[in-house]
């Protein structure tokens, strides 16, 4: 069973930055695609960014150039650096994991593809 624990959410003004973290119990961590997803009130959950063991990344168009996903495989930790935050980034952010072969370069971006989820961390951006 994979356990994921997010941290780092909070409230920030538009233009500000936050860094989300996610620690995992997954073993071996190399066999997991990792992703960040978010869900705003009244909206469906959407993919934000994904990263493979080999650090192949993917981003939603809405966050490209502002958000950066990264992982430390030795520490089993995933991060999401969020810069130039906008009010429309306000949402509950979830860390997710999906088993994958170690040679996987591009991870899937759909939430349906991910099996394991954290409890979420709230990000609120005020204008």
């Amino acid at each position: 069973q994979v356990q994921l624990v997010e941290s780092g959410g909070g409230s920030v003004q538009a233009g500000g930055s936050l860094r989300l973290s996610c620690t995992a119990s997954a073993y071996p961590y190399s066999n997991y695609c990792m992703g960040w997803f978010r869900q705003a009130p009244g909206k469906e959950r959407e993919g934000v960014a994904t990263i493979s063991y080999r650090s192949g990344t993917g981003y939603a168009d809405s966050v490209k150039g502002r958000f950066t996903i990264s992982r430390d495989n030795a520490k089993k930790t995933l991060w999401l650096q969020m810069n130039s935050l906008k009010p429309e980034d306000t949402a509950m952010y979830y860390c997710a994991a999906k088993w994958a072969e170690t040679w996987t370069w591009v991870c899937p971006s759909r939430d349906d593809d991910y099996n394991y989820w954290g409890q979420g961390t709230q990000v609120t951006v005020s204008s």
Side-chain angles (χ1 to χ4, degrees):
Q1 185 72 14
V2 176
Q3 294 185 325
L4 304 169
V5 179
E6 303 100 331
S7 61
S11 297
V12 66
Q13 289 192 327
S17 297
L18 283 173
R19 189 189 196 203
L20 306 184
S21 299
C22 172
T23 56
S25 66
Y27 181 83
Y29 193 61
S30 58
N31 277 118
Y32 287 88
C33 274
M34 301 299 297
W36 287 101
F37 295 80
R38 67 186 181 186
Q39 187 167 22
K43 294 188 177 182
E44 292 187 353
R45 187 165 56 192
E46 63 175 356
V48 175
T50 62
I51 186 168
S52 67
Y53 172 70
R54 296 180 176 274
S55 295
T57 58
Y59 294 93
D61 288 342
S62 59
V63 306
K64 281 181 181 176
R66 300 189 298 123
F67 290 11
T68 302
I69 189 171
S70 59
R71 64 190 283 172
D72 184 323
N73 293 321
K75 296 181 179 179
K76 296 184 180 180
T77 303
L78 177 75
W79 293 281
L80 184 69
Q81 177 66 45
M82 305 186 294
N83 298 328
S84 302
L85 282 161
K86 304 175 180 180
E88 51 264 43
D89 294 319
T90 295
M92 184 72 78
Y93 282 71
Y94 298 92
C95 171
K98 166 188 164 44
W99 191 92
E101 298 291 350
T102 55
W103 60 77
T104 299
W105 180 250
V106 178
C107 292
S109 59
R110 290 178 44 181
D111 58 351
D112 290 351
D113 290 315
Y114 288 76
N115 313 98
Y116 304 101
W117 294 85
Q119 81 287 353
T121 186
Q122 179 67 38
V123 171
T124 302
V125 184
S126 58
S127 58

